[in-house]
Amino acid sequence: MRTANRVASLLLATALLLGGAAAAVQALLLTLHRPTPFDTSGWLDALSGTRWRDPTVRAVAGGALLLGLAILVAQLRRWTPVRLRADERDGWYLHRRCVERRLADAASAVPGVRRARVRVRRRGGQWRPRVRATGDPAARAEIEFAVHQELRHLTAPRPARIDVRLLPRRRPA
Amino acid sequence: MSNAGHRLLWTVIALLLVAGGAGALTASLGTLPGADPAAVLLSAELVDRWRRAAPWSTLAAAVAGALFALAGQRLLARELRGPDGTLRGTLSHPGRRPGRTRLATDVLADALARDLTGNPGVRRARVVLTGAPPHPDVWIRVDLTADAPTAGVREHVRAAVRRFAATTDCQPAHLDVTARIEASHP
């Protein structure tokens, strides 16, 4: 969402700059009774011939309403944090994606585990790693141990709990 | 522009879209009091009034266009600029005796970044100074190698910041360090 906001803002800024400059030049030339670069008579005719109840107006208004609601929901929902605070005292943060990748690598290295995916969220100031792995269900304790060890290696705070969801490997039919 | 700034900007734009869209839709459906759904979007009366008000109406449109262009230029400049409030030029602070000490900000940031990369576990370091001298806010991003001992690197960063504060006589008001760690070797 952060990248989307940045790109959208760049596009908005460019549109405002170009559109505003074009409108200013057009209006200034009209004031001075000079030939203008854009012919606006077509737009005027279209706006003068369109009624409020026309389906085009309803479609544009509905589209604007839906687009506005979609942007509003995207902006107001809770965003996943880019980084996780490791220590209150020295302002040390760890990049969330890096931590998740390291924990997934640690969980995947456990014998009997084929593939692992880790998501780390904050809850009440504490880290909450969630491990989704495919492999032997008996490896749960070893996965928890491996994740704890990796977190200790990263000098991350000890989480209150690690959620591990182990899916047994599917046997070929 | 910061993430919070972007979020605020797009929330305002979304509210404007919702208000405009809902207003136009209710007018189109005939549920807006005073609005006639059979009326045209741009009435002949409005066009006549616009033409009678010329040249002031076109001049007002030119001013409005210029203001939009200026807003676009300011927004573009903020987007293309670095982090908000980055110190440029010199950090200067008065001494106890007559005279002032002036230090180039870029040189200080580069010096701290070089000190940070002195540890073999730190592959890259980026330093940004913001706030007011002689107590700037120090923002650091370090890229660590996969086998870097994180505890050792943390101690190295703390020591480098202490050295920076002692050398420049600029005690950071706020220190923020973000570490990115490479994926572990297979």
Side-chain angles (χ1 to χ4, degrees):
Chain A
M1 205 58 220
R2 291 165 185 86
T3 311
N5 268 0
R6 205 164 284 273
V7 172
S9 298
L10 268 172
L11 292 175
L12 174 72
T14 312
L16 277 175
L17 182 60
L18 297 180
V25 169
Q26 175 88 0
L28 208 61
L29 289 172
L30 273 175
T31 311
L32 299 171
H33 302 291
R34 294 284 176 87
T36 55
F38 308 106
D39 181 19
T40 51
S41 56
W43 299 357
L44 276 175
D45 290 345
L47 288 173
S48 304
T50 310
R51 297 187 184 278
W52 280 101
R53 65 179 172 206
D54 285 357
T56 318
V57 175
R58 285 182 187 171
V60 170
L65 181 65
L66 288 178
L67 180 67
L69 285 174
I71 296 174
L72 203 59
V73 168
Q75 299 300 326
L76 295 183
R77 77 183 170 81
R78 202 172 164 191
W79 290 0
T80 312
V82 172
R83 51 191 209 154
L84 297 159
R85 184 187 278 274
D87 198 325
E88 293 279 342
R89 290 159 302 169
D90 62 358
W92 185 269
Y93 293 84
L94 292 169
H95 200 259
R96 186 178 58 84
R97 285 262 169 84
C98 296
V99 172
E100 288 175 350
R101 214 166 39 222
R102 291 287 296 232
L103 297 182
D105 288 346
S108 304
V110 171
V113 176
R114 192 164 160 238
R115 200 175 49 206
R117 214 178 63 175
V118 178
R119 289 277 171 271
V120 183
R121 297 285 182 272
R122 280 181 309 198
R123 189 164 290 183
Q126 280 197 316
W127 291 21
R128 183 86 176 267
R130 281 185 185 172
V131 185
R132 300 278 176 274
T134 312
D136 184 2
R140 178 182 299 271
E142 284 176 65
I143 290 175
E144 277 188 30
F145 179 74
V147 169
H148 270 301
Q149 284 292 101
E150 189 60 28
L151 285 171
R152 217 177 69 172
H153 175 73
L154 297 173
T155 62
R158 191 180 167 81
R161 182 175 138 195
I162 297 172
D163 294 333
V164 181
R165 192 174 160 202
L166 257 169
L167 299 169
R169 202 189 301 185
R170 279 188 201 147
R171 290 176 192 281
Chain B
M1 197 193 256
S2 64
N3 284 326
H6 280 124
R7 216 168 175 172
L8 183 66
L9 171 71
W10 284 101
T11 303
V12 170
I13 291 172
L15 287 173
L16 289 175
L17 277 172
V18 169
L25 204 59
T26 48
S28 177
L29 295 170
T31 47
L32 191 70
D36 178 15
V40 289
L41 296 181
L42 197 61
S43 65
E45 186 198 348
L46 202 65
V47 175
D48 279 348
R49 276 165 66 182
W50 172 268
R51 284 188 179 141
R52 274 202 304 273
W56 298 111
S57 54
T58 48
L59 212 55
V63 171
L67 286 177
F68 273 107
L70 186 68
Q73 185 268 332
R74 296 288 294 269
L75 184 59
L76 201 61
R78 289 191 76 154
E79 289 300 323
L80 300 176
R81 202 173 63 186
D84 280 348
T86 304
L87 283 176
R88 297 187 192 285
T90 55
L91 268 167
S92 99
H93 50 93
R96 291 185 195 89
R97 291 175 183 174
R100 295 171 73 86
T101 309
R102 294 168 72 84
L103 301 157
T105 316
D106 293 348
V107 173
L108 288 182
D110 287 348
L112 180 53
R114 269 202 306 278
D115 194 357
L116 290 168
T117 46
N119 187 300
V122 180
R123 194 177 293 283
R124 264 185 302 273
R126 184 170 176 246
V127 177
V128 173
L129 301 175
T130 61
H135 297 294
D137 297 330
V138 180
W139 308 85
I140 298 172
R141 200 185 73 195
V142 281
D143 292 354
L144 309 186
T145 56
D147 54 352
T150 317
V153 173
R154 272 175 81 160
E155 187 45 52
H156 172 74
V157 170
R158 272 199 290 265
V161 172
R162 275 200 301 271
R163 281 194 291 275
F164 168 83
T167 313
T168 61
D169 196 18
C170 283
Q171 189 62 42
H174 173 78
L175 175 66
D176 187 294
V177 187
T178 304
R180 298 199 307 186
I181 307 159
E182 286 177 356
S184 45
H185 297 300

